[in-house]
Structure formats: C-alpha cells, structure tokens
Amino acid sequence: MSGIFLDTGDINEIRKYHAMGIIRGVTTNPSILVKQGVQGGMTGVKKHEIEIARLIDPLPLSVEVTTNDYEEMRRQAKEFAGWAKNINVKLTIHGPNGETDNLKLIHEMETRENVRINVTAMMSAQQCFLAAMAGATYVSIFGGRVSNMGYDARYEIRRLRQLLDAFGLKAKIIVGSTREVVNIVEWFEAGAHIVTSTPSLIEGMIVHPYTKETVQQFIRDGAQFGKL
Ligand code: E4P
C-alpha cells in the first residue's frame, strides 16, 4: 500500500481524511499518543490503537513499542500485533545508546513470528538498507530531522530506493518527520513509497488561496440565477 500515511493519534482527524479516501495508513508513536492525551496506561493505549485499527481496516496502523529492554520489546511486539490484523509494530533501528540487538528482534519477528515490523527513527540510507536486509516490511527515515542536520533528505531517499530495487528487497520506504507541505510530493518524487503527514500538512496540500478566490467568484456569479 503506497501513498500518504496520516501521522497522528487524533481519531476525528483520521476519520475525516479516511472518509476522503486520500490516506493509505496511519502511524503513531509514544510521543504522538502523549500529545493526544491518551491516558490509562497500557490499557488506554490498547483501547486507542484498537479504535484506530478498526476505523481504518484494512489499511495498516503502526504502533511503537515503549521500551528498549529486549525481552519487553519482544513481548510488546507480539502483543501489539495481536490487537488487530492490520497492526504493524514500530521498533527503532537501535537502542538509546546505540545497542544493536534490535536488528535481531526485527529479523525474528518478521521471519518466525509473522509480525510485520516498521523500523523507525532512521536518518540514513545505510541504516534503512540493513533494516530491509533483516526483513523489515517498512523502513522509516525521518526526512525532516535529516534535513535539520544539514543534509538533503531527497539524496538519502534516492540512494535507498536504488538499493532496495537493486537488491530486490521487499521493504517499503516510509519518509516521516514531514515539516513542510512541499516535502510530500518531493519525497515521493525522490522514491518514497509512503510519506507520513500531519492533518494540517494535508490540509495545506488541498487548500490554495487562488482556488478559494476562484470558487468565491463561481458562487457569486451563480447567485445571479437565483434559487433553482
Ligand atoms: C513517523 O512515523 C514518525 O512518527 C514521525 O514522522 C516523527 O516525526 P517528528 O520528527 O516530527 O517527531
């Protein structure tokens, strides 16, 4: 499934853009859920994520683990994947101090546990390439954060797409951390399969001041015919 994934935990916004048929999935992470005000511990998270998963079924929903403790990550990954058949699990490429065991878990989940993994928090084509080699279904590169470091994210996306195609890897490229409306189309052009977007950036894609003015003119002129 390629296209825009909505990067939010806001059920009303998801319902709105899903009904328009313009999104192809939803991504969440712990920061998004906190910002959304999700309460009630893991029970609250479960309820919220299941509600989103049902709302967009069969489109995919990414749910991120909340820890980097290996056994706990493993337990959460299996549990989250069991909440709904369209849930995939986000695991970061490595731990907070560069711990590299995460790739082993990614490989195990994809090859032995039938859990689809979205490897996240990546900043380079080389990280994404290794995650794809480990068997990830999705590889998420954070375009906005890459650009904030002074590199052009489009360059990394192009290199990554070439690598995935050359090696026949199944992983789909998700470019997230989207900062500007213009990023969405330019990252697709660079080779992204999926770009994540906040609701406000999608609105920015739809609404154009000159379109507003044009529609106002049509309505004004149409009013001259009176009521039909
Ligand atoms: C994508 O999947 C991530 O949730 C998200 O885009 C991260 O973006 P940020 O850099 O705005 O936190």
Side-chain angles (χ1 to χ4, degrees):
M1 197 69 84
S2 299
I4 295 173
F5 282 12
L6 204 57
D7 200 28
T8 186
D10 186 326
I11 307 269
N12 290 329
E13 297 284 13
I14 295 168
R15 186 175 291 109
K16 172 177 163 182
Y17 290 106
H18 181 250
M20 292 179 193
I22 60 176
I23 60 165
R24 293 293 178 270
V26 171
T27 47
T28 61
N29 61 36
S31 309
I32 283 174
L33 297 181
V34 168
K35 188 172 156 217
Q36 196 54 43
V38 174
Q39 286 176 341
M42 206 40 96
T43 310
V45 170
K46 178 176 179 180
K47 189 170 164 287
H48 197 81
E49 297 285 19
I50 289 177
E51 191 176 348
I52 299 173
R54 287 196 180 137
L55 176 60
I56 65 167
D57 181 69
L59 301 181
L61 166 67
S62 290
V63 180
E64 185 164 337
V65 299
T66 59
T67 175
N68 207 74
D69 175 82
Y70 195 86
E71 282 313 314
E72 182 56 13
M73 265 198 298
R74 195 169 183 281
R75 194 196 63 72
Q76 286 190 2
K78 288 171 75 171
E79 186 184 332
F80 296 174
W83 288 347
K85 64 180 186 320
N86 54 336
I87 286 180
N88 59 76
V89 178
K90 270 185 174 177
L91 295 174
T92 55
I93 179 71
H94 61 65
N97 295 304
E99 302 88 338
T100 55
D101 278 354
N102 295 22
L103 278 163
K104 190 171 116 191
L105 187 59
I106 291 157
H107 185 60
E108 182 192 338
M109 288 294 124
E110 286 277 2
T111 57
R112 291 204 288 279
E113 299 290 349
N114 195 28
V115 174
R116 289 167 305 286
I117 301 294
N118 174 355
V119 184
T120 192
M122 294 190 283
M123 308 294 161
S124 67
Q126 64 188 5
Q127 287 180 309
C128 295
F129 174 60
L130 292 180
M133 289 295 270
T137 297
Y138 300 103
V139 290
S140 286
I141 180 164
F142 280 17
R145 295 191 192 216
V146 170
S147 296
N148 280 344
M149 290 185 294
Y151 306 96
D152 187 337
R154 288 174 297 181
Y155 181 62
E156 288 302 304
I157 298 163
R158 240 175 257 128
R159 294 172 82 199
L160 175 58
R161 182 61 184 265
Q162 279 166 8
L163 281 169
L164 297 189
D165 291 349
F167 284 78
L169 294 164
K170 67 164 191 193
K172 297 278 186 218
I173 302 170
I174 300 181
V175 188
S177 184
T178 312
R179 299 278 184 258
E180 297 173 302
V181 173
V182 71
N183 295 149
I184 297 166
V185 169
E186 75 182 5
W187 289 346
F188 279 129
E189 282 172 344
H193 299 98
I194 294 145
V195 177
T196 72
S197 172
T198 56
S200 66
L201 290 177
I202 294 195
E203 187 176 327
M205 287 176 84
I206 301 170
V207 179
H208 191 288
Y210 196 33
T211 303
K212 270 191 193 172
E213 194 185 314
T214 306
V215 175
Q216 284 164 14
Q217 177 202 321
F218 289 154
I219 303 276
R220 230 180 10 251
D221 291 341
Q224 294 190 26
F225 298 110
K227 205 167 161 26
L228 291 180

